[in-house]
């Protein structure tokens, strides 16, 4: 499990980080979105409570295809799947054999998926601020404009070469989720059925 002490430090002390630096991270984000149609990567995810104590660690794979198609597969510690096709989002819990279906715009809103796989201009949904260079990672903060967002802010870290390395998110309950990406492959060929989902037989299906 890859942990980001730097990301947690930024989240806890973001008000102490100087701004007004060169727009390296924002430029990297815009270039990443403009130049990347598809992505495939591994991820590790750590959930912290408001006191920075670890609540859960998980890992898996993710793929997305712009605009608005994505697939997140959690492999450890529990098998879960999130698939979005631009119209709907399916949340499948394999252990419970339960599928929850939500409308796409409601499900992702001002979320990480909206940042990575969205079709709109970034500034339409987020206010972007440079946070500067920390441990060879260029950081930015994205604050959702929508008051209905479930996140207070999202922070993203890029390598000096412009590769997405880390995302850190704080929700309205004060919990922080840190996502670290590895083996990120830009613009791979992805099968179309990757972003489709059919509930398994006898699954409990809930539509919201």
């Amino acid at each position: 499990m890859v942990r980001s002490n730097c990301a947690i430090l930024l989240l806890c002390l973001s008000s102490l980080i100087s701004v007004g630096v060169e727009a390296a991270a924002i430029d990297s984000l815009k270039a990443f979105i403009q130049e990347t149609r598809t992505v495939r990567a591994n991820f590790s995810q750590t959930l912290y409570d408001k006191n920075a104590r670890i609540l859960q660690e998980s890992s898996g794979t993710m793929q997305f295809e712009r605009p608005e198609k994505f697939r997140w597969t959690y492999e450890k510690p529990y098998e879960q799947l999130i698939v979005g096709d631009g119209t709907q989002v399916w949340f499948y819990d394999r252990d419970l054999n339960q599928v929850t279906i939500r409308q796409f715009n409601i499900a992702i809103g001002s979320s990480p998926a909206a940042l990575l796989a969205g079709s709109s201009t970034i500034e339409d949904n987020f206010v972007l601020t440079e946070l500067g260079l920390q441990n060879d990672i260029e950081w930015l903060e994205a604050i959702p404009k929508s008051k209905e967002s479930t996140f207070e802010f999202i922070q993203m870290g890029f390598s000096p070469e412009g590769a997405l390395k880390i995302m850190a998110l704080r929700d309205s309950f004060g919990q922080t989720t840190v996502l670290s990406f590895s083996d990120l492959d830009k613009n791979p060929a992805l099968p179309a059925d990757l972003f489709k989902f059919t509930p398994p037989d006898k699954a409990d299906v809930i539509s919201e």
Side-chain angles (χ1 to χ4, degrees), residues 155-186:
Q155 294 180 340
M156 303 179 70
F158 291 85
S159 71
E161 296 75 29
L164 177 63
K165 304 297 289 185
I166 302 172
M167 295 182 71
L169 312 90
R170 178 173 288 172
D171 64 24
S172 56
F173 300 102
Q175 295 183 337
T176 300
T177 300
V178 176
L179 288 158
S180 299
F181 300 102
S182 61
D183 300 321
L184 192 147
D185 185 11
K186 292 175 61 175

Side-chain angles (χ1 to χ4, degrees), residues 78-81 91-100:
Y78 309 107
E79 293 187 30
Q80 295 179 313
L81 179 65
F91 300 82
Y92 174 48
D93 188 313
R94 188 179 299 275
D95 289 343
L96 298 177
N97 198 25
Q98 183 179 82
V99 179
T100 302

Side-chain angles (χ1 to χ4, degrees), residues 13 16 63 71 85 119-120 133 145 151 159 171 186 192 200:
L13 304 177
L16 302 181
Q63 300 90 14
R71 184 183 186 97
D85 67 354
S119 59
S120 61
L133 180 67
K145 292 183 178 180
F151 296 97
S159 71
D171 64 24
K186 292 175 61 175

Side-chain angles (χ1 to χ4, degrees), residues 107-154:
I108 69 165
S110 299
S111 71
L115 263 177
L116 294 177
S119 59
S120 61
T121 303
I122 305 168
E123 287 88 350
D124 288 349
N125 296 318
F126 298 90
V127 176
L128 303 179
T129 303
E130 288 284 345
L131 296 181
L133 180 67
Q134 297 286 331
N135 296 339
D136 296 324
I137 296 291
E138 295 282 359
W139 285 91
L140 66 84
E141 183 171 79
I143 298 178
K145 292 183 178 180
S146 172
K147 295 181 180 180
E148 298 179 357
S149 173
T150 57
F151 296 97
E152 292 182 5
F153 56 79
I154 302 169

